C-alpha cells in the first residue's frame, strides 16, 4: 500500500465534517494537480486562502509600477507579475506601449541591470510573503548601486489569517510550508488557541494528506488544539532565525493592501529609514502621484471578477461568470488566473474549462 493510500485510509477513519483552509499557492497547485479534493471524503472541504503572492497584489501596486515604467524607469519583475492586470492593463501591456519592463529571475538580475548602466534608474518590483523578503533584504545589505531601488509589495501571513478568521467560516488551517521555513510554526499557535487546529505542510501530495490526518487527529482528540509541524524536513518550530533577523534589519512592518482583502494592519513591509535611499516609493513619490492622480478604483471594484471572494475561500472559480469564457490563462481578467499558484488557473488547468 502506498503512503498516500495509507494516509487516505486514516483520513476515512477519522473523517468528520470540516472546512480546512490552506494559505499557499503551491499547496493549491499540488491539491489541484493530484485531484486531492476528489479523493477526500465529501464532508472534508479544502478551501484555498490568500496564499498566492501574485494573486494578492492589488491593482494600486501594479499601477504604481506601471506609473514608474511610463516615467522612464526600468521596471524589473518576475514573469507572472508582468501579466497581472492593474486598473488599466498590466506591466506587459505597458511594455507593448514601449515602456522598459524586463522579466528577471531574481533580485540579483535586476541589480546587474543597474550596475551595467549606472545612468539608468532600475526598480525591482518586490512581491511575496515572508519567504522572499529575506532574499531581498540580503541584497540590500550588499549595498547595491544607488540607481537601483525596490518597489515593495511584500505581505505578511499572520495578520492576514487574523483578519480572515473574523469573517470566514473555517475550522482548521494548513500552514504554508515555505513561509514556515522562515517564521517557524510558533507564530501560528495563536490561531490554535483561538480554536483552529493548524498544521504546517510540505508540497507533495503525501505532505498535504499527512497534514489533514494531523488536523483530524487534533479535532477527534481532547479538544486542545496546537500548531503542529508536518514538514520537519524543512521547517523548524522557531523558523530560520538568521533570515528573520536580516529581514527586520532592512524592513519594518507597515499596513498593506491586499487584493480582495483590503488594507490589513501590520501586514506589509517597508524599508527602514536607514535604507530609504533604496525605496522607490520615496525616491519617485512625485512621479507616482502625478501619474496616478486620475485613476479611479471604484470602477475596478465593481467588475465581474470574483477574485476577492475566491481569495477568502468564499467562492470557487465556477461561481465567476467570466471563468473559462472571457477569463482564461492566456486572457486573464483577474490575478487568480495568472499565476500557476492561482486558484482560477489551477481550476482551469486541472478541472478543465468545462467545470464552469
Ligand atoms: S475566473 Fe478570472 S475573472 Fe473570474 S475570479 Fe477568476 S481571475 Fe477573476
Amino acid at each position: 500500500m502506498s503512503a498516500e493510500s495509507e494516509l487516505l485510509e486514516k483520513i476515512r477513519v477519522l473523517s468528520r465534517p470540516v472546512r480546512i483552509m490552506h494559505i499557499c499557492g503551491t499547496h493549491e497547485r499540488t491539491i489541484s494537480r493530484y485531484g486531492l479534493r476528489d479523493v477526500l471524503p465529501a464532508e472534508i472541504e479544502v478551501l484555498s486562502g490568500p496564499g498566492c503572492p501574485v494573486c494578492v497584489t492589488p491593482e494600486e501596486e501594479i499601477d504604481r509600477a506601471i506609473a514608474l515604467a511610463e516615467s522612464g524607469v526600468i521596471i524589473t519583475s518576475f514573469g507572472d507579475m508582468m501579466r497581472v492586470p492593474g486598473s488599466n492593463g498590466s506591466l506587459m501591456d505597458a511594455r507593448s506601449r514601449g515602456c522598459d519592463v524586463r522579466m528577471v529571475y531574481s533580485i540579483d538580475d535586476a541589480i546587474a541591470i543597474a550596475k551595467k548602466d549606472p545612468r539608468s534608474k532600475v526598480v525591482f518590483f518586490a512581491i511575496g510573503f515572508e519567504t522572499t523578503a529575506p532574499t531581498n533584504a540580503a541584497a540590500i545589505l550588499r549595498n547595491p548601486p544607488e540607481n537601483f531601488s525596490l518597489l515593495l509589495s511584500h505581505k505578511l501571513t499572520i495578520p492576514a489569517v487574523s483578519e480572515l478568521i473574523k469573517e470566514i467560516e473555517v475550522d482548521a488551517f494548513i500552514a504554508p510550508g515555505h513561509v514556515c521555513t522562515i517564521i517557524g510554526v510558533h507564530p501560528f499557535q495563536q490561531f490554535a488557541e483561538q480554536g483552529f487546529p493548524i498544521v504546517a505542510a510540505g508540497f507533495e501530495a503525501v505532505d498535504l494528506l499527512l497534514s489533514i490526518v494531523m488536523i483530524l487527529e487534533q479535532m477527534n482528540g481532547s479538544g486542545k488544539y496546537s500548531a503542529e509541524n508536518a514538514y520537519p524536513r524543512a521547517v523548524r518550530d522557531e523558523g530560520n532565525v538568521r533570515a528573520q533577523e536580516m529581514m527586520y534589519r532592512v524592513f519594518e512592518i507597515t499596513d498593506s493592501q491586499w487584493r480582495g482583502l483590503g488594507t490589513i494592519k501590520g501586514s506589509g513591509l517597508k524599508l527602514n529609514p536607514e535604507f530609504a535611499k533604496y525605496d522607490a516609493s520615496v525616491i519617485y513619490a512625485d512621479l507616482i502621484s502625478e501619474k496616478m492622480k486620475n485613476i479611479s478604483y471604484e470602477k475596478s471594484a465593481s467588475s465581474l471578477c470574483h477574485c476577492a471572494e475566491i481569495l477568502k475561500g468564499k467562492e470557487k472559480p465556477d461561481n465567476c461568470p467570466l471563468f473559462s469564457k472571457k477569463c482564461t490563462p492566456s486572457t486573464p481578467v483577474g490575478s487568480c488566473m495568472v499565476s500557476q499558484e492561482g486558484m482560477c488557473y489551477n481550476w482551469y488547468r486541472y478541472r478543465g474549462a468545462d467545470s464552469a
Side-chain angles (χ1 to χ4, degrees), residues 304-307 310 317 320-324 327-328 332-338 344:
L304 292 172
C305 174
H306 286 217
C307 276
I310 287 167
C320 175
L322 305 183
F323 178 74
S324 87
C327 185
T328 69
V333 174
S335 60
C336 300
M337 188 60 95
V338 174
C344 296

Side-chain angles (χ1 to χ4, degrees), residues 148-160:
F148 171 83
S149 57
L150 291 177
L151 186 62
L152 284 177
S153 184
H154 282 307
K155 310 286 180 222
L156 300 176
T157 309
I158 299 294

Side-chain angles (χ1 to χ4, degrees), residues 194-212:
Q194 292 175 66
F196 303 94
I198 184 159
V199 177
F203 304 100
E204 302 297 330
V206 74
D207 294 318
L208 283 154
L209 292 172
L210 176 59
S211 70
I212 293 171

